[in-house]
Amino acid sequence: MELSNRQEKIIEIVKENGPITGENIAQKLSLTRATLRPDLAILTMAGFLDARPRVGYFFTGKTGSELLTERIKKFKVFEYQSVPVVVKEQASVYDAISMMFLEDVGTLFVVDDHSYLTGVLSRKDLLRASIGKQDLDALPVHIIMTRMPNITVCRKDDLVVDAAKKMIDKQIDGLPVVKDAPSGLEVVGRITKTTITKVFVELVTENRV
Ligand code: ADP
């Protein structure tokens, strides 16, 4: 988060003199208390300053990057997940390839007749199947997919940063967001490397600290 000159000055004053009242900060800057109110509100909300009634403002001791880290660590999967694209186990590799183009995704999730997760198909899984001499129309995806229980998943209340770590550790591009159902996992969303890129850009452009 980018601070204005005046906000930087306020932090310095509070660092040196805190706890200090808003009135006294205003005096030191030769401004009115009312003029400072928005700045004090921003600095308090962002976590740089803390305010105690009848005592005044004091410096929390947290740096901008510490506050940014704290903020990022609160991002939950459900806030950022996108719609999952699924195919049935019996779908052909040809259909899966068409689906991948049509839906413009890099990972498809495979489900059984009860809509429970049974596998994952990546671009390279489909490429690998395509360079053989097989009839892609007759080859069902369950033959070539990565299957349960070897699927790495996440849940809606997981932290985005933990989902990102799983993708790095397993060297994969996406995770299904799943919901526990009586006899399997229902696919309710997806988190991909693109999601993480979006979060990163949003942090910079929207100053979401
Ligand atoms: P690509 O193969 O196109 O580079 P990935 O890196 O995502 O894409 O996939 C690598 C391998 O890992 C593929 O065989 C794929 O089936 C498998 N895979 C992808 N996502 C998952 C996941 N969430 N859990 C388990 N395996 C996965």
Side-chain angles (χ1 to χ4, degrees):
M1 153 176 194
E2 197 103 2
L3 297 180
S4 69
N5 272 348
R6 187 195 285 165
Q7 288 163 353
E8 298 272 10
K9 272 190 207 151
I10 294 173
I11 291 181
E12 284 314 309
I13 291 171
V14 178
K15 252 191 216 173
E16 279 172 29
N17 305 283
I20 177 170
T21 62
E23 198 59 50
N24 287 343
I25 301 173
Q27 263 172 19
K28 284 184 184 292
L29 290 169
S30 310
L31 295 168
T32 64
R33 172 80 180 82
T35 316
L36 278 196
R37 197 160 289 133
D39 290 317
L40 288 170
I42 288 169
L43 292 172
T44 312
M45 267 190 308
F48 289 101
L49 303 184
D50 219 337
R52 281 210 200 113
R54 284 182 297 280
V55 179
Y57 291 91
F58 57 92
F59 183 56
T60 57
K62 288 177 184 158
T63 61
S65 67
E66 277 171 335
L67 293 166
L68 181 64
T69 309
E70 270 180 19
R71 180 90 182 76
I72 294 173
K73 281 187 179 161
K74 288 191 190 131
F75 293 169
K76 294 280 186 78
V77 159
F78 71 83
E79 298 173 77
Y80 294 95
Q81 70 189 37
S82 38
V83 178
V85 180
V86 300
V87 291
K88 288 275 178 68
E89 290 182 319
Q90 298 306 330
S92 69
V93 169
Y94 183 93
D95 287 339
I97 293 172
S98 309
M99 175 82 91
M100 202 173 254
F101 275 100
L102 272 175
E103 301 287 344
D104 196 17
V105 290
T107 310
L108 297 172
F109 303 120
V110 185
V111 295
D112 64 16
D113 289 335
H114 306 285
S115 294
Y116 290 146
L117 176 69
T118 57
V120 170
L121 292 165
S122 75
R123 284 179 267 236
K124 276 190 220 134
D125 293 331
L126 295 173
L127 265 180
R128 195 180 303 114
S130 311
I131 53 177
K133 294 243 172 328
Q134 304 157 89
D135 177 1
L136 299 186
D137 250 332
L139 181 63
V141 291
H142 69 82
I143 305 285
I144 66 150
M145 69 187 188
T146 301
R147 62 188 60 249
M148 287 290 275
N150 298 323
I151 307 296
T152 307
V153 301
C154 65
R155 290 175 171 77
K156 73 175 178 51
D157 289 319
D158 289 351
L159 298 178
V160 170
V161 68
D162 288 334
K165 275 188 203 150
K166 282 185 183 176
M167 285 191 265
I168 291 173
D169 288 348
K170 306 278 177 176
Q171 300 185 333
I172 49 181
D173 293 349
L175 302 176
V177 183
V178 298
K179 194 170 114 188
D180 296 282
S183 41
L185 298 174
E186 255 174 54
V187 186
V188 294
R190 84 190 143 96
I191 287 279
T192 66
K193 285 184 177 170
T194 308
T195 319
I196 309 299
T197 312
K198 278 189 191 148
V199 172
F200 177 76
V201 171
E202 192 180 288
L203 273 169
V204 177
T205 53
E206 287 188 15
N207 276 340
R208 287 185 39 141
V209 195

